């Protein structure tokens, strides 16, 4: 029924299956939307946040999706600026994932603030000294860039592309993509960094505070670095999951391996830098404020030193070691483990830099603060996941997201009824060409 | 012409005198239209601009000792004037440092409730309005017009009763004076404290009692030179304008984090 | 016009772009933000002209002066009155919250008559005229039948014009049953009467004392005139005055004292005698006072030296003998030592022996009626009304024994024994109570063994409450005749508890009465007039205000201006003229208290095997436990280690908790011989092992949702224990067992 919309040369599941999937995931989405409306209309009392946990699950989710969404800027950077051509096979999907992550982040922020209707004050009454201002500006701008990067893909939908205006628009946008990729990389560098800065500048919180260069604490650079390292891993992870679900190979191994290798090296260097940072913090910064490393990891029911080991060693050095070795990258299971660990690692890092920051007592006469999110928080956090699944499903079905797909999954006989007059005829060739984002 | 020196309002709380009676807490609520709810026993959801902490020395019976520590906003100066932990982070300049008075303000109609300032404040002096403020029918009659009630979704905190400063200044102006005298501007908590444990005044003015009590060292961001005086979390470099006095060593030590090996006398400050 | 796909899409996109760029979007965004800044459901307090009214707070017996800030006709803030002799600008947490009572939801807004069962909370509004005639009729009937003595009146105080109007009314009506709520003042009055022959209140010159030996008095927990005590404590901080706090729990007072001496609960009297022992043995006493102005010293000395040596006292009290000796020496050698008693806020009278033993210490160091010491402060006699003329019925009624047994053969010296009333009603031993009036008191909450009190109230067919607030007693009354609150009425506030010099405060209307309430003084006058005859004649005033103005005479103008009257001519009596006993001297061993050999500690309820632990109450200034409960602001100040949700915490030493397998925050079941309660455990090193402490002031069933239903009322767990000499309630605690819930 919807075959006219499906890209040429690929096979998709029956429409009813697709609709069923959308309905199931849509139900989850609606649950999240309900929780979101509760938060907007009744206020943040719907959450379990409190005056000690001003930042909680949402801000973690925000930082985490932005970190894993970092695959978009970094892959774009490699593809357009460093000319890693091979990555053209995965760049569309990286952009799509990035778009989902960033739109989710903005949505979460809109729910998270106490006065959503005044959210724009952050732009109108901007305080240039605030890391959050930097985050807001770069995030919004970069979201704009991602939208621009995503639009040509939409325009490549078979039906839309038939409209000459859109056809040309898409074409022209492709031409300029390097400029946007560069802008995006620049913006991304700053907002990933400023998200790190959000915690790092808190000089009242010895657990979070880091020294740095000029106005940028080390966490600024570490956040960018870790997003660049782990974002692509997440892109690969989602690609692998998509391949598993669709039971198709969608991206050439060469593209995956190249991205995995670069990620591996980024992750290794990041882990070394993170270790050095932790070392300096534990031996110089924190003691100067009267605290020892173990003060931050004891006397509470959750946060033990295990979390540091898990984050840096198990989710840092271990996946890095797998990814930088050819054998590791080529072994499917090892690759799966590495990209999963790397993704978990960056999420733990963001958790620690948001939630543990809130949990550690600073006044000597306070004790650890523990918190468990309310269902409204959980629902609204799952909301973007559902939204992401739906957007991926739709995009995958109707847009030429994976340029390698027809090549990797050749269709023997094209059903006759799908044949339609296509004009102009040049389009035909283009259909089979990898889409460029 | 002589340059007019800016004021630096600050507070000294004598913990030897403080009895934990709570008058300061309630005087503040009554003065500043602080709302209340049916259950206020979750202290992480309870708005108390002035909060009294109960400290214990951790020793077993009968060597136990307790001390009450009232905690308003510290009106941190930071490393350079205005570099308060909360002011620097607020993305919308909804909280600001006044260089005229040293007071850290909070502008409710500007605040959009991101709570970054709360995350930044190590003293937990900031409170979020998780609920709409609701007064039982008829009780809104006692609300003071001098302080606007806050709407849901914004952050609030101790203002050093800034409206009292404004009123004092207005009065002085009407009477053709330029100076606000020490006793003309006193905070509600200072005034109410039955024990006289709170003293308020200009830390830049050697004639004011607060100055004489702590003898702030201008070379070290006002660090007290009185050996019994201390500030909370001095080592973080927040440079609060609220000082505490105690004759008991364990209490002074409880004011900051120290490594086991450190003695309290050393007081190394991080940013120096 | 046919719209093709192309133009449709163009329209869509163009529209989107147009909307974004049009000023409308921005205007709407701005408007919505402005709307959030002025939400109509967030109140905007109206501005107006500011003014200040000086008055007095009467939420407790502290008698603080207040200055109320007003905007037009609204009271917006209560502040302490600067220059007031009691509080000089400071104010307690309750006094600061007074406006929440004035404007709060707990106000009784109009006279109410019960419909439905007692305590069911179903009322009908009734006019003042009907209400007063109903009371007059009931009282008239009883009087007709010769039952005038079956009318009882519970009053929070017996001083000042309003309580005196109650007294006058009962007298001319013919009932001896006026009862005052009890407190340590009862024990002190009795002590001063027996040892000094004085009819007076105790006054303590704290400001000039330099060594305070406190037998559990919560100097900083609401004892005496609370704000004055806080101020006194700061004075000692400045002057180097010392405070020694003797009590089993590290209260706020203990924490602020110079030395906290934990004592086995209930053995304070023995400690006082042990200290006396050392003072006498080491001849550290004030010889001049003992030799010239005291009587019975030798008998007493023999008794003390015989039985209260430091070693035996150490065994009783759990305080080692060296500490006792050192304490005695420093007390006796201090230049202005002062010993005081009355546990916590002094809301229970305690044992008379304890009070006399502590008072004897003051005599030993000769600090009676002198600077820095304790004074017998006679009530200023500004109330000089013409004698009432009693008719036969009144005279007959007044001849009857009091129901509570005060002044009886058994308890000849006590003036009021409210604690004995429930038992007297429940046992029916004397005569039934047919009508009961309650003013300025909330006995259904404040009296111990709540169940028995409730049962007694249920037996009284006609209960009238004068409460301004829907408290527990009002809730269980048949008729509520709501008084104006203290911020809406004139009233004299006589000398605050413990003041060494008389001061009369003037409470005056800060705002117009907010509701259809009436001054209780006016109600009494109207009631008297409705009853006619002698009764009406005794109340010749047209209104209470007229009565007050006339009573105060020349003082009125000054009081209106200053807010209070102090007695500049108050002079200190010399020791020669101080004592009005038979001997004319201070009596160390007044015979009336019984022979010294009968001296024994108070036996509290419960046996050791079934109830291995001791339960004691503790008072906090942040928990009002008297006639009003905590207003919302004060509830807000209650710590989360005292109350969490609706669960109250008991304090338990970690050692005791360990023995019972209890952890911080765990639920436990408390059972005493009187009642049971579910509580949470808070571990506190500052409490003696073997003890369980529970705060007073929670567990209200009345007032508003901000207070009711939270925690438990200590009085549900304890019953009164009669003091063998005074008949007053001497219980300081009760045995208890503790189990995991
Ligand atoms: N309903 C209604 N709304 C109105 C108006 C009206 O008449 N009725 N009038 C309008 C007009 S004319 C005006 S000007 C606006 C005023 O609107 P706002 O400016 O929002 O007015 P306020 O609430 O008086 O002040 C805001 C807050 O500023 C903080 N503040 C006080 N002093 C300082 C300081 O020195 N520094 C900083 N940073 N903060 C400070 C205080 O906490 C105060 O609550 O309201 C407009 N809105
Ligand atoms: N206590 C207190 N006092 C304040 C303030 C505060 O926050 N608290 N805020 C101050 C501030 S910021 C301001 S701006 C002032 C505002 O003070 P005002 O300027 O007095 O403001 P309004 O109360 O709005 O009164 C304006 C009057 O103009 C009338 N009016 C409306 N439209 C027109 C018109 O088109 N022509 C004419 N001729 N009249 C019109 C209105 O009916 C009203 O009577 O108040 C100041 N005073
Ligand atoms: S009012 Fe004074 S004594 Fe009471 S808690 Fe506050 S500072 Fe301490
Ligand atoms: S105490 Fe907290 S809120 Fe107050 S100025 Fe310092 S950082 Fe800001
Ligand atoms: S919550 Fe309000 S005051 Fe705090 S940082 Fe955010 S906008 Fe600023
Ligand atoms: S200074 Fe004013 S605002 Fe701050 S705590 Fe005291 S009363 Fe409250
Ligand atoms: S101490 Fe008593 S009289 Fe004084 S303010 Fe408090 S409640 Fe009122």
């Amino acid at each position: 029924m919807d075959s006219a919309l499906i890209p040429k040369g690929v096979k998709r599941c029956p429409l009813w299956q697709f609709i069923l999937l959308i309905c199931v995931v849509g139900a989850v989405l609606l649950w999240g939307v309900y929780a979101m409306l509760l938060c907007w209309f009744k206020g943040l009392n719907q959450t379990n946040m409190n005056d000690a946990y001003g930042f909680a699950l949402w801000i973690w989710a925000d930082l985490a999706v932005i970190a894993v969404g970092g695959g978009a800027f970094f892959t774009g950077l490699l593809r357009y600026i460093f000319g890693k051509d091979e990555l053209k096979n995965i760049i569309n999907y990286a952009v799509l994932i990035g778009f989902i992550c960033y739109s989710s982040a903005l949505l979460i922020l809109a729910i998270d603030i106490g006065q959503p209707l005044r959210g724009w004050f952050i732009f109108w009454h901007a305080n240039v000294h605030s890391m959050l201002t930097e985050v807001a500006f770069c995030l919004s701008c970069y979201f704009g860039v991602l939208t621009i990067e995503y639009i040509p893909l939409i325009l490549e939908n078979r039906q839309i592309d038939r409209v000459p205006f859109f056809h040309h628009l898409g074409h022209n946008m492709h031409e300029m993509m390097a400029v946007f990729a560069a802008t995006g990389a620049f913006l991304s560098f700053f907002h990933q960094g400023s998200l790190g800065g959000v915690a790092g500048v808190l000089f009242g919180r010895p657990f979070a505070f880091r020294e740095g260069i000029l106005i940028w604490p080390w966490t600024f650079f570490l956040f960018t670095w870790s997003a660049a390292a782990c974002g692509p891993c997440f892109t690969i992870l989602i690609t692998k999951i998509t391949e598993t679900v669709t039971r198709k190979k969608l991206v050439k191994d060469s593209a995956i391996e190249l991205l995995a290798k670069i990620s591996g090296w980024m992750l290794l260097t990041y882990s070394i830098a993170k270790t050095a940072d932790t070392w300096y913090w534990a031996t110089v910064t924190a003691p100067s404020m009267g605290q020892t490393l173990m003060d931050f990891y004891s006397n509470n029911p959750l946060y033990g030193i295990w979390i540091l080991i898990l984050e840096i060693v198990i989710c840092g050095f271990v996946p890095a070691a797998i990814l930088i070795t050819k054998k590791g990258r080529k072994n499917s299971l090892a690759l799966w483990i590495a990209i999963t660990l790397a993704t978990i690692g960056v999420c733990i890092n963001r958790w620690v830099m948001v939630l543990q920051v809130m949990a550690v007592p600073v006044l000597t006469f306070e004790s650890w603060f523990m918190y468990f999110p309310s269902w409204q928080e959980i629902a609204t956090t799952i909301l973007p996941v559902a939204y992401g699944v739906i957007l991926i499903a739709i995009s995958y079905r109707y847009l030429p997201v994976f340029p390698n797909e027809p090549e990797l999954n050749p269709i023997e006989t094209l059903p006759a009824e799908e044949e339609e007059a296509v004009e102009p005829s040049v389009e035909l060739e283009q259909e089979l060409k990898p889409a460029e984002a | 012409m002589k340059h007019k020196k800016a004021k630096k309002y600050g507070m000294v709380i004598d913990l030897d005198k403080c009895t934990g009676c709570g008058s300061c807490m309630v005087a503040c609520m009554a003065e500043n239209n602080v709302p209340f709810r049916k259950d206020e026993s979750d202290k992480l959801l309870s708005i108390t601009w002035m909060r009294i902490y109960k400290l214990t020395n951790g020793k077993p019976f009968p060597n136990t000792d307790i001390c009450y520590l009232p905690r308003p906003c510290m009106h941190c100066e930071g490393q350079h004037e205005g570099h308060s932990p909360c002011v620097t982070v607020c993305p919308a300049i909804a909280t600001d440092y006044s260089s005229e008075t040293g007071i850290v303000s909070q502008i409710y109609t500007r605040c959009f409730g991101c709570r970054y300032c709360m995350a930044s404040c190590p003293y937990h002096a900031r409170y979020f309005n998780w609920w709409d403020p609701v007064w039982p029918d008829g009780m809104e009659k006692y609300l003071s017009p001098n302080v606007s009630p806050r709407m849901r979704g914004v952050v609030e905190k101790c203002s050093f009763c800034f409206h009292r400063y404004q009123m004092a200044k207005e009065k002085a102006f009407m009477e053709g004076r330029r100076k606000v005298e020490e006793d003309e501007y006193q905070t509600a908590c200072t005034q109410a404290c039955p024990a006289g444990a709170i003293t308020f005044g200009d830390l830049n003015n050697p004639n004011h009692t607060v100055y004489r009590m702590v003898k702030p060292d201008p070379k070290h961001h006002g660090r007290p030179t009185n050996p019994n005086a201390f500030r909370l979390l001095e080592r973080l470099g927040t440079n609060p304008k609220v000082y505490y006095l105690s004759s008991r060593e364990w209490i002074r030590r409880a004011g900051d984090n120290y490594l086991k090996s450190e003695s309290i006398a050393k007081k190394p400050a991080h940013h120096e | 016009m046919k719209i093709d796909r192309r133009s449709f899409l163009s329209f869509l996109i163009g529209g989107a772009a147009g909307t974004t760029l049009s000023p409308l979007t921005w205007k709407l965004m701005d408007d919505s933000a402005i709307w959030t800044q002025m939400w109509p459901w967030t109140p905007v307090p109206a501005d107006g002209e500011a003014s200040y009214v000086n008055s007095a707070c009467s939420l407790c017996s502290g008698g603080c002066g207040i200055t109320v800030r007003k905007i037009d006709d609204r009271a917006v803030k209560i502040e302490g009155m600067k220059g007031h002799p009691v509080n000089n600008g400071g104010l307690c947490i309750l006094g600061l919250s007074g406006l929440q009572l004035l404007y709060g939801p707990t106000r009784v807004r109009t006279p109410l008559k019960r419909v439905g069962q007692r305590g069911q909370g179903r009322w009908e509004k009734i006019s003042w005229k009907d209400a007063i005639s109903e009371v007059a009729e009931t009282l008239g009937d009883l009087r007709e039948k010769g039952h005038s003595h079956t009318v009882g009146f519970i009053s929070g105080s017996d001083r000042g014009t309003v309580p005196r109007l109650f007294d006058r009314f009962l007298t001319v009506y013919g009932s001896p049953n006026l009862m005052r709520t009890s407190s340590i003042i009862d024990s002190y009055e009795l002590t001063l009467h027996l040892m000094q022959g004085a009819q007076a209140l105790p006054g303590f010159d704290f400001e000039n004392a330099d060594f305070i030996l406190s037998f559990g008095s919560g100097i900083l927990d609401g004892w005496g005139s609370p704000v004055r005590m806080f101020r006194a404590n700061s004075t000692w901080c400045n002057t180097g005055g010392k405070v020694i706090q003797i009590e089993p729990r590290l209260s706020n007072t203990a924490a602020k004292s110079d030395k906290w001496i934990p004592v086995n609960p209930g053995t304070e009297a023995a400690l006082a005698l042990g200290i006396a022992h050392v003072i006498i043995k080491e001849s550290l006493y004030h010889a001049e006072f003992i030799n010239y102005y005291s009587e019975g010293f030798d008998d007493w000395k023999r008794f003390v030296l015989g039985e209260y040596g430091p070693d035996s006292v150490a065994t009783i009290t759990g305080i080692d003998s060296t500490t006792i000796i050192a304490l005695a020496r420093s007390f006796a050698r201090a230049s202005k030592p002062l010993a005081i008693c009355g546990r916590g806020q002094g809301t229970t009278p305690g044992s008379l022996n304890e009070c006399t033993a502590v008072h004897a210490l003051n005599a030993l160091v000769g600090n009676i009626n002198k600077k820095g010491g304790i004074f017998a402060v006679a009530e200023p006699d500004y109330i000089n009304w013409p004698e009432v003329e009693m008719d036969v019925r009144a005279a007959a009624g007044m001849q009857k024994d009091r129901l509570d047994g005060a002044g009886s053969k058994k308890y000849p010296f006590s003036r009021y024994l409210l604690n004995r009333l429930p038992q007297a009603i429940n046992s029916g031993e004397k005569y039934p109570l047919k009508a009961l009036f309650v003013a300025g008191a909330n006995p259904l909450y404040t009296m111990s063994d709540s169940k028995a009190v409730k049962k007694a109230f249920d037996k009284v067919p006609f209960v009238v409450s004068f409460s301004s607030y829907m408290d527990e007693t009002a809730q269980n009354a048949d008729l509520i005749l709501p008084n104006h609150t203290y911020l809406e009425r004139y009233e004299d506030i006589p000398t605050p508890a413990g003041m060494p010099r008389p001061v009369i405060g003037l409470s005056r209307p800060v705002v117009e009465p907010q509701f259809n309430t009436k001054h209780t003084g006016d109600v009494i006058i109207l009631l008297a007039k409705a009853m006619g005859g002698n009764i009406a004649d005794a109340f010749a005033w047209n209104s209470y205000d007229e009565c007050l103005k006339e009573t105060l005479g020349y003082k009125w103008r000054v009081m209106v201006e200053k807010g209070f009257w102090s007695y500049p001519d108050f002079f200190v009596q010399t020791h020669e003229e101080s004592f009005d006993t038979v001997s004319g001297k201070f009596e160390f061993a007044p015979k009336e208290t019984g022979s010294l050999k009968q001296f024994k500690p108070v036996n509290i309820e419960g046996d050791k095997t079934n109830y291995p632990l001791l339960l004691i109450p503790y008072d906090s200034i942040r928990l009002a436990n008297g006639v009003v409960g905590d207003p919302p602001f004060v509830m807000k100040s209650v710590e989360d280690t005292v109350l969490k949700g609706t669960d109250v915490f008991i304090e338990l030493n970690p050692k005791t908790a360990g023995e019972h397998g209890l952890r911080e925050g765990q639920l436990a079941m408390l059972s005493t011989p009187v009642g049971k309660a579910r509580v949470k455990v808070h571990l506190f090193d500052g409490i003696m092992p073997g003890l369980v402490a529970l705060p007073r002031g929670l567990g209200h069933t009345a007032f508003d949702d901000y207070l009711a239903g939270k925690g438990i009322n200590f009085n549900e767990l304890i019953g009164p224990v009669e003091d063998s000499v005074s008949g007053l309630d001497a219980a300081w605690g009760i045995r208890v067992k503790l189990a995991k819930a």
Side-chain angles (χ1 to χ4, degrees), chain B residues 5 20 24 28-31 56-57 88 100 109 111 121 126 132 145 159 179 181 190 196 203 237 245 248-249 251 267:
Chain B
K5 206 177 172 193
C24 48
C28 176
M29 295 177 202
E31 177 78 17
T56 56
N57 67 350
T88 47
E100 180 193 330
T109 46
C111 170
C121 170
R126 293 183 157 267
D132 280 307
S159 66
K179 235 174 89 184
E181 297 298 334
T190 307
L203 292 162
L245 295 177
R248 285 177 279 185
E249 153 99 21
I251 294 167
K267 278 192 183 167

Side-chain angles (χ1 to χ4, degrees), chain B residues 13 17-25 52 70 189 192-198:
Chain B
I13 305 178
K17 284 184 180 160
C18 171
T19 62
C21 73
S23 282
C24 48
M25 242 174 139
I52 300 167
C189 50
C193 175
I198 310 178

Side-chain angles (χ1 to χ4, degrees), chain B residues 15-23 25-27 29-31 33-43 46-47 52 54 59-62 64-66 68 109 132-133 135-146 149-152 164 167 188 191-192 194-195 248, chain C residues 36-37 39 41-43 45-47 69 71 74-77 79 82 89-93 96-97 99-100 103-105 220 227 230-231 234 237-238 248 250 252 255-256 260 262 514 621-622 632-633 636-640 643-645 653 685-689 705-706 710:
Chain B
L15 300 183
D16 289 341
K17 284 184 180 160
C18 171
T19 62
C21 73
S23 282
M25 242 174 139
V26 166
M29 295 177 202
E31 177 78 17
N33 295 339
V34 174
F36 53 87
R37 298 177 55 248
K38 299 222 160 124
D39 182 1
E40 290 279 359
S41 65
D42 186 340
K43 299 306 172 191
S46 177
I47 302 177
I52 300 167
K54 186 177 182 174
K59 291 196 180 152
F61 182 89
T64 319
D65 196 5
I66 54 178
Y68 288 96
T109 46
D132 280 307
W135 284 267
D137 200 23
M139 240 202 236
E140 68 288 341
K141 275 195 185 167
Y142 74 60
L143 294 177
S144 157
N146 304 102
R150 285 70 63 183
M151 64 291 292
R152 174 234 288 171
R164 288 188 170 214
M167 289 197 285
Q191 193 186 51
R248 285 177 279 185
Chain C
T36 68
Q37 294 167 334
W39 276 340
W41 58 86
T42 306
D47 207 350
R69 179 175 155 85
I71 297 293
R74 302 185 295 122
V76 299
K77 175 93 189 292
E79 286 165 5
K82 283 205 187 86
L91 216 54
C92 92
I93 190 165
L96 283 160
S97 311
L99 297 180
Q100 295 195 313
Y103 294 122
L220 304 179
V227 174
F230 289 120
R231 291 179 58 214
S234 292
C237 283
N238 293 336
L250 183 70
N252 286 0
K256 284 289 148 202
W260 167 45
Q514 300 291 303
I621 192 78
R622 300 195 212 164
F633 277 159
K636 218 172 162 172
S637 80
V638 175
E639 286 164 335
D640 56 0
L643 182 76
K644 185 92 189 182
N653 189 288
D685 280 304
I687 187 166
M688 188 178 259
D705 294 346
Y706 300 89
K710 297 178 178 184

Side-chain angles (χ1 to χ4, degrees), chain B residues 89-92 94-95 106 110-117 126 155:
Chain B
V89 300
C90 175
T95 179
Q106 178 70 20
R110 173 76 71 85
C111 170
F112 66 92
C114 70
R115 305 182 301 287
Y116 191 13
C117 52
R126 293 183 157 267
V155 164

Side-chain angles (χ1 to χ4, degrees), chain C residues 245-268:
Chain C
Q245 182 70 2
I246 298 154
E247 63 174 319
R249 176 182 169 272
L250 183 70
S251 64
N252 286 0
T253 308
K256 284 289 148 202
S257 67
D258 295 274
K259 193 170 170 63
W260 167 45
I261 302 180
V263 63
N264 289 336
T267 65
E268 290 86 346

